[in-house]
Amino acid sequence: GPVENKNEAAMSELVPEPRQKPVVPMKPVGINANLLGYIGIDTIIEQMRKKTMKTGFDFNIMVVGQSGLGKSTLVNTLFKSQVSRKSSGWNREEKIPKTVEIKAIGHVIEEGGVKMKLTVIDTPGFGDQINNENCWEPIEKYINEQYEKFLKEEVNIARKKRIPDTRVHCCLYFISPTGHSLRPLDLEFMKHLSKVVNIIPVIAKADTMTLEEKTEFKQRVRKELEVNGIEFYPQKEFDEDLEDKTENDKIRQESMPFAVVGSDKEYQVNGKRVLGRKTPWGIIEVENLTHCEFALLRDFVIRTHLQDLKEVTHNIHYETYRAKRLNDNGGLPPMTVETEENHESNL
């Protein structure tokens, strides 16, 4: 009767049916691995390379720190071209901005057939006032506005095949070479912004310190960041495998924060042209590792971690922003008249 069926159903829930072992296919005997020849899976890399070469790359780098720390010079040195705003000589009319301004300058740099659309975002006026309370706010606002722009494009019904990427991939934060400790402003900035952007701390104008002072100052800065729970890039929790972890641990424990010297002037040293700074007691060679860590910073930002900086920005920082926005909003960003018109024109 129905009661028996019920009991049987209950029993079958309790006693799981013995799972059948999956049939292991027998290995073909004696087939030579080369018998069927070459397939060509390895050409995928080349296909990807061709595709990305056509579209080119975006990279947006932000520089933050007090004026006079050589931010513009350093960015120019990094990309070996005049990419950052730099007044030719200071003029009297140029006043210190009353609030933090944000200036983005775009360039296209090409090397070996690879095109990069580089945007340098400068923040003049940061940390230059008597009262620097909350001067990180306009910077955080700018970073979030770029995420918002991207999100609006992404949730469009008829969205672009390739959304223009203005998100800040990397923020170089310039620490003053005092040799003492970080200022409250430094800690405050990094505390608020390390959650929304990849921060790479650098000690500017490192040639103002002796080697011992430099080593000591770097250790002190690392300790202070750790005590204050400030995560800088590369963040520990985003290491994907053991190889990444080993490489990044070395950077976190030894290199960070990079003590750098920037220069866009060339000098002759032993018959070679080098970028450097001339002092009464010799030339500081920017790319010479015994003189400063500029080469380490460049290799890190451009040669080894540029793609990762972009990925962490997209998969972590932007994703966090997006999830929060969509949650707060019960779904999609509110439609403004402007976006509605865009939709109609797109359709």
Side-chain angles (χ1 to χ4, degrees):
V3 179
E4 281 173 11
N5 288 351
K6 263 191 189 169
N7 288 348
E8 269 177 29
M11 283 293 287
S12 67
E13 270 178 33
L14 293 172
V15 184
E17 284 184 20
R19 271 195 180 170
Q20 287 187 334
K21 282 187 179 169
V23 183
V24 180
M26 280 179 63
K27 283 186 183 169
V29 186
I31 285 189
N32 181 351
N34 300 328
L35 177 71
L36 301 172
Y38 169 69
I39 307 168
I41 299 169
D42 56 359
T43 62
I44 293 173
I45 301 294
E46 186 52 29
Q47 294 169 38
M48 287 162 77
R49 195 185 74 87
K50 275 189 179 150
K51 268 220 141 80
T52 42
M53 287 279 278
K54 277 180 195 157
T55 49
F57 298 87
D58 291 311
F59 187 59
N60 309 320
I61 186 169
M62 178 183 251
V63 286
V64 181
Q66 275 176 295
S67 54
L69 287 179
K71 299 187 293 296
S72 305
T73 309
L74 187 84
V75 177
N76 291 342
T77 319
L78 264 180
F79 296 100
K80 295 211 167 154
S81 48
Q82 296 292 332
V83 290
S84 199
R85 56 163 205 112
K86 199 167 180 216
S87 52
S88 45
W90 182 76
N91 56 18
R92 281 160 193 242
E93 287 77 55
E94 213 178 280
K95 292 188 176 72
I96 290 176
K98 284 279 179 290
T99 53
V100 179
E101 294 173 13
I102 289 175
K103 296 182 174 174
I105 306 169
H107 306 265
V108 174
I109 295 182
E110 194 170 335
E111 190 177 52
V114 178
K115 269 201 186 91
M116 183 162 85
K117 185 171 179 293
L118 172 75
T119 305
V120 178
I121 302 122
D122 202 350
T123 53
F126 175 85
D128 293 340
Q129 315 305 321
I130 293 168
N131 176 6
N132 287 307
E133 205 179 357
N134 297 350
C135 68
W136 43 268
E137 277 179 353
I139 296 172
E140 186 173 34
K141 185 169 167 265
Y142 176 85
I143 291 168
N144 283 331
E145 275 168 3
Q146 307 319 307
Y147 291 148
E148 181 66 23
K149 243 189 220 171
F150 199 88
L151 178 62
K152 280 205 169 119
E153 286 287 352
E154 220 178 31
V155 296
N156 260 343
I157 295 169
R159 57 181 180 181
K160 295 174 182 157
K161 189 179 171 192
R162 194 161 174 263
I163 299 173
D165 191 0
T166 59
R167 297 168 301 180
V168 180
H169 299 126
C170 165
C171 169
L172 290 182
Y173 186 78
F174 285 68
I175 296 164
S176 198
T178 57
H180 294 291
S181 54
L182 290 173
R183 298 168 309 155
L185 173 64
D186 301 331
L187 293 168
E188 197 71 7
F189 177 89
M190 289 194 258
K191 231 181 225 158
H192 281 97
L193 272 94
S194 58
K195 307 267 188 303
V196 295
V197 70
N198 294 321
I199 290 184
I200 297 176
V202 294
I203 297 166
K205 299 203 163 175
D207 50 336
T208 57
M209 295 189 279
T210 66
L211 294 177
E212 293 78 23
E213 282 171 341
K214 187 170 79 178
T215 311
E216 213 173 286
F217 187 41
K218 280 180 70 151
Q219 284 168 350
R220 194 171 301 163
V221 169
R222 274 200 296 271
K223 188 92 198 108
E224 281 189 57
L225 292 173
E226 194 184 318
V227 168
N228 286 280
I230 292 165
E231 283 272 319
F232 49 80
Y233 179 84
Q235 301 90 331
K236 284 193 189 77
E237 64 264 41
F238 310 144
D239 292 343
E240 287 190 352
D241 53 40
L242 198 62
E243 190 191 346
D244 284 359
K245 189 182 177 323
T246 315
E247 188 186 343
N248 289 343
D249 273 345
K250 196 169 181 298
I251 292 163
R252 284 186 284 258
Q253 289 154 18
E254 295 170 24
S255 310
M256 290 279 189
F258 296 97
V260 293
V261 180
S263 167
D264 35 23
K265 291 195 171 64
E266 283 190 349
Y267 293 97
Q268 286 275 0
V269 175
N270 304 331
K272 270 197 328 206
R273 292 173 78 79
V274 297
L275 284 172
R277 282 170 63 82
K278 197 170 187 183
T279 67
W281 42 88
I283 287 169
I284 293 151
E285 295 168 42
V286 167
E287 297 183 60
N288 182 337
L289 274 177
T290 54
H291 292 202
C292 88
E293 292 164 4
F294 170 79
L296 287 178
L297 172 71
R298 184 206 43 219
D299 290 356
F300 174 61
V301 173
I302 299 172
R303 298 183 184 181
T304 62
H305 284 66
L306 189 140
Q307 188 53 33
D308 189 59
L309 279 161
K310 293 181 64 166
E311 279 170 21
V312 172
T313 301
H314 182 70
N315 300 333
I316 314 286
H317 298 306
Y318 169 66
E319 208 55 33
T320 309
Y321 177 85
R322 181 181 165 279
K324 187 179 178 308
R325 268 296 270 121
L326 296 184
N327 251 338
D328 293 353
N329 228 354
L332 301 177
M335 264 213 160
T336 58
V337 180
E338 183 191 322
T339 51
E340 275 173 11
E341 282 169 5
N342 283 352
H343 278 303
E344 279 162 24
S345 64
N346 283 339
L347 293 169

